Amino acid sequence: VRDVLAAGADIIHFDVMENHYVPNLSIGPLVLESLRKADIDCTMDVHLMVKPVDRLVDDFLSAGADIISVHPESTEHLHRTLSSIREGGAKAGIVFNPATPLTVLPEVLALVDLVLIMSVNPGFGGQSFIPSSLDKLSAARTLIEAHHDRTGRRVRLEIDGGIKADNVAEVAMAGADTFVAGSAIFNSGNYSDTIAAFRTALRSIET
Ligand code: ZN
């Protein structure tokens, strides 16, 4: 974690899986708590792929999460879960799988600080980007901009799955402003060069 932060990463994205909502097992709140105890003070962006989700929301709030994102399928009461994240002092996010429509988004936009579009099916690193995610990003961007026009609130639009230096510009043009990269960075020989390549690709579309 220190190495990727030193190499220029802005945020640590924390993928939590429990072999029920997704067919894999990863890291839990104790790992995040340990990073905090080791004085890692960056933004910790926790993506919960667990069901039921509410109990772990509380654990990750206590462990020091800054952002907690949940899938609508993982809770019977999405409004309550999102509200509890905010009441616990973190920013709240909602996550959409490739086959999950954005239908609920207008109902909860006022309760979220981040919308996360999955561009792979959650569960494993190293999967290929699903191209239809670009249309979903554009649709989410339209809803977020309309919300901003009405309320003045900024909601982040994050993309997760198969993001690399050679497709990050395309997803940015479709509306994403926050980019999760796992294997593209951790499987590369040089974190700094890889993150610099992401920034170069993003600068190329700014003009
Ligand atoms: Zn994730």
Side-chain angles (χ1 to χ4, degrees):
V1 168
R2 284 203 179 95
D3 286 349
V4 288
L5 289 171
D10 296 311
I11 294 172
I12 295 299
H13 182 84
F14 206 88
D15 278 329
V16 183
M17 311 178 189
E18 75 348 350
N19 197 38
H20 183 75
Y21 183 67
V22 292
N24 202 352
L25 188 63
S26 68
I27 42 185
L30 283 178
V31 176
L32 178 53
E33 200 180 311
S34 301
L35 289 170
R36 290 305 194 198
K37 282 182 183 159
D39 291 328
I40 303 277
D41 67 355
C42 67
T43 296
M44 287 290 183
D45 172 29
V46 175
H47 174 193
L48 292 180
M49 289 164 272
V50 303
K51 187 178 180 178
V53 73
D54 292 285
R55 160 69 203 285
L56 278 173
V57 164
D58 293 340
D59 289 352
F60 275 98
L61 286 167
S62 306
D66 297 295
I67 307 168
I68 299 179
S69 298
V70 300
H71 290 252
E73 300 91 344
S74 69
T75 171
E76 299 297 332
H77 303 287
L78 181 60
H79 187 287
R80 179 182 293 152
T81 303
L82 292 169
S83 302
S84 74
I85 294 169
R86 284 239 183 111
E87 283 158 16
K91 291 183 171 167
I94 181 168
V95 195
F96 294 92
N97 284 334
T100 305
L102 297 177
T103 326
V104 301
L105 187 52
E107 306 297 331
V108 296
L109 251 178
L111 296 173
V112 303
D113 306 286
L114 177 143
V115 175
L116 171 52
I117 303 296
M118 290 304 298
S119 39
V120 301
N121 287 294
F124 299 94
Q127 301 183 74
S128 297
F129 183 84
I130 297 173
S132 60
S133 314
L134 294 172
D135 290 338
K136 192 178 274 180
L137 271 177
S138 301
R141 171 54 66 194
T142 301
L143 290 169
I144 286 171
E145 289 308 311
H147 180 74
H148 177 255
D149 290 346
R150 277 196 312 276
T151 65
R153 287 186 64 242
R154 282 275 166 222
V155 174
R156 273 181 187 263
L157 181 55
E158 184 175 49
I159 184 90
D160 186 2
I163 304 302
K164 303 172 178 149
D166 61 13
N167 65 9
V168 70
E170 192 178 16
V171 297
M173 283 189 287
D177 55 30
T178 305
F179 312 92
V180 177
S183 31
I185 293 172
F186 286 103
N187 293 348
S188 74
N190 185 311
Y191 298 163
S192 297
D193 288 353
T194 306
I195 293 171
F198 272 78
R199 294 200 190 281
T200 302
L202 289 169
R203 270 196 302 273
S204 73
I205 59 164
E206 273 171 10
T207 47

